[in-house]
């Protein structure tokens, strides 16, 4: 097994290779404006450092968000293109799940990332592998109280949430993303993996659908918001 994973749903552009037992190479750059420029070099770097080529990769995994449209599009389109080139399946993993997996928390906690518009994307976890609720998008003051909060979405609003609740890591790690996916893939047959990788029509834009993508799913984006652009309505009649 050689899993190539990357995530562009947050300001972190992160890529990693996992051989089924450990992360063999990883690259992360924090830059919210250059996802398209940074992802390909990051993928090339981890392949070079591990002495592998794209032909050696057996699965490709991309973070599915939730996150802004532009960043998500870069990662998921790249995953689809590389999977077609290499002739291997592409999968998606919720970005919040990857953050949770990297967290050193034994009890219940929240994961939150920046959703812009003074909101956060968040989910509640029972442990680093178990999502109990979400993902959702809300104002910081609407997050459930008391629980620790992992991720930059919490750190940005520490004055609202409470500084004593903020924990790391702040950004997702492709190493954690790859490890989470590799663990799940190890339990599946080739037929089961192929079924999961099939991409249905449409995107994931509801809480109910997003909850279904637990641990491993098809490479579909989780937006949780309607697009800013809207189809124009009927022009108003101008009267003299």
């Amino acid at each position: 097994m050689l899993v190539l994973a990357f995530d562009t749903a947050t300001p972190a552009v992160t890529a990693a290779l996992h051989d089924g037992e450990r992360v063999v190479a990883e690259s992360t750059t924090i830059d919210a404006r250059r996802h398209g420029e940074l992802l390909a070099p990051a993928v090339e770097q981890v392949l070079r450092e591990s002495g592998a080529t794209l032909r050696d990769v057996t699965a490709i995994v991309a973070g599915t968000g939730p996150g802004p449209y532009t960043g998500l599009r870069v990662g998921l389109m790249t995953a689809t293109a590389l999977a077609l080139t290499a002739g291997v399946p592409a999968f998606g993993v919720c970005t919040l799940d990857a953050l949770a997996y990297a967290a050193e928390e034994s009890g219940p906690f929240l994961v939150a990332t920046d959703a812009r518009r003074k909101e956060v994307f968040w989910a509640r976890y029972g442990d680093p592998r178990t999502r109990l609720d979400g993902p959702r998008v809300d104002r910081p003051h609407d997050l459930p109280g008391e629980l620790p909060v992992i991720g930059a979405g919490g750190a940005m609003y520490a004055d609202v949430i409470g500084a004593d609740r903020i924990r790391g890591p702040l950004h997702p790690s492709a190493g954690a993303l790859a490890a989470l996916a590799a663990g799940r893939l190890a339990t599946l047959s080739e037929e089961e993996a192929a079924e999961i990788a099939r991409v249905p029509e449409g995107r994931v834009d509801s809480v109910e659908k997003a909850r279904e993508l637990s641990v491993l799913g098809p490479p579909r984006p989780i937006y949780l918001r309607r697009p800013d652009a809207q189809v124009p309505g009927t022009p108003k009649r101008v009267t003299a």
Side-chain angles (χ1 to χ4, degrees), residues 87 102 124 204:
R124 182 167 60 92
V204 180

Side-chain angles (χ1 to χ4, degrees), residues 63-76:
T64 56
Y69 173 78
T70 302
L72 279 177
R73 181 177 60 179
V74 169
L76 292 168

